[in-house]
């Protein structure tokens, strides 16, 4: 196949007669793609994706916490150093999450939507995890909530005289 000899002609620039038989340069488009024109539809899609991600952030810790509870059930069968370390991390993680709730939802401020409900759900989820951890601490006897834990605080009475009837 012989290559066709097509050249650009610069002599007729004033006549504004385009060369029809030449291919368009690389990256040049005569028509605007429909993707660029439909930016409002893209914005709606991005907004829907952000709302879905917002819901996942608010409830996503719940699935992780189920895994932690199952792991806690298996590892914390007895009182040893590993179960105590795991329990401490299990208790401190909800506190860090609750104190960092604004940081977790910072990227969703562009939605121009009230995030209070989502934040409350997030805090409630972390509160459930904290309650489970505290219950496990109580089960191990590390959380002093029973009356026998405070028996040493009751003053002991000394008996001076003992009367026995025979």
């Amino acid at each position: 196949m012989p290559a066709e000899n097509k050249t650009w002609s610069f002599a007729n620039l004033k006549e504004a007669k385009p060369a029809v038989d030449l291919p368009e340069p690389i990256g040049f488009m005569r028509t605007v793609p429909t993707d660029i024109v439909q930016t409002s539809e893209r914005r709606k899609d991005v907004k829907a994706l952000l709302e879905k991600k917002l819901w996942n952030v608010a409830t996503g810790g719940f699935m992780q916490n189920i895994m932690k509870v199952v792991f806690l059930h298996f590892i914390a069968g007895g009182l040893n150093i590993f179960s105590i370390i795991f329990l401490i991390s299990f208790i401190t993680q909800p506190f860090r999450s609750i104190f960092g709730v604004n940081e977790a939802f910072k990227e969703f401020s562009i939605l121009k939507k009230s995030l209070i409900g989502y934040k409350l759900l997030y805090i409630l989820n972390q509160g459930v995890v904290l309650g489970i951890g505290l219950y496990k601490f109580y089960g191990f006897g590390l959380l002093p909530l029973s009356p026998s834990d405070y028996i040493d605080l009751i003053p002991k009475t000394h008996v001076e005289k003992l009367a026995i009837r025979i």
Side-chain angles (χ1 to χ4, degrees):
M1 287 169 103
E4 296 181 25
N5 194 2
K6 295 181 181 179
T7 60
W8 288 90
S9 172
F10 296 109
N12 304 3
L13 286 178
K14 292 183 182 177
E15 296 176 11
K17 181 180 172 186
V20 179
D21 58 343
L22 295 176
E24 294 178 346
I26 297 173
F28 176 78
M29 292 180 282
R30 289 190 189 273
T31 59
V32 178
T34 57
D35 294 342
I36 297 172
V37 175
Q38 298 173 347
T39 56
S40 63
E41 290 180 12
R42 268 195 176 170
R43 286 183 188 146
K44 289 178 186 176
D45 291 342
V46 168
K47 188 175 181 180
L49 286 174
L50 276 176
E51 287 179 2
K52 185 177 178 183
K53 189 175 177 185
L54 175 65
W55 179 254
N56 288 341
V57 167
T59 61
F62 184 70
M63 292 301 168
Q64 293 174 355
N65 295 335
I66 290 175
M67 179 194 66
K68 286 181 182 179
V69 168
V70 169
F71 189 67
L72 184 67
H73 173 72
F74 287 120
I75 197 171
L79 186 60
N80 56 36
I81 189 70
F82 298 112
S83 60
I84 292 173
I85 290 172
F86 185 75
L87 268 174
I88 289 172
S89 71
F90 195 79
I91 295 269
T92 57
Q93 186 269 335
F95 283 116
R96 281 184 274 153
S97 296
I98 288 171
F99 291 132
V101 70
N102 287 331
E103 188 68 29
F105 289 94
K106 184 165 59 169
E107 65 179 297
F108 302 110
S109 62
I110 61 171
L111 284 176
K112 307 286 192 259
K113 184 178 183 179
S114 177
L115 303 175
I116 292 174
Y118 294 103
K119 289 180 180 181
L120 288 176
L121 181 63
Y122 184 79
I123 290 171
L124 178 71
N125 182 21
Q126 298 305 323
V128 168
V129 173
L130 184 64
I132 291 169
L134 290 175
Y135 175 76
K136 201 64 174 177
F137 258 105
Y138 174 73
F140 279 154
L142 299 174
L143 199 60
L145 293 178
S146 65
S148 64
D149 293 328
Y150 299 102
I151 198 74
D152 289 337
L153 299 177
I154 298 173
K156 295 179 183 176
T157 58
H158 295 292
V159 178
E160 300 270 332
K161 295 180 181 177
L162 184 63
I164 298 177
R165 182 186 255 185
I166 304 182

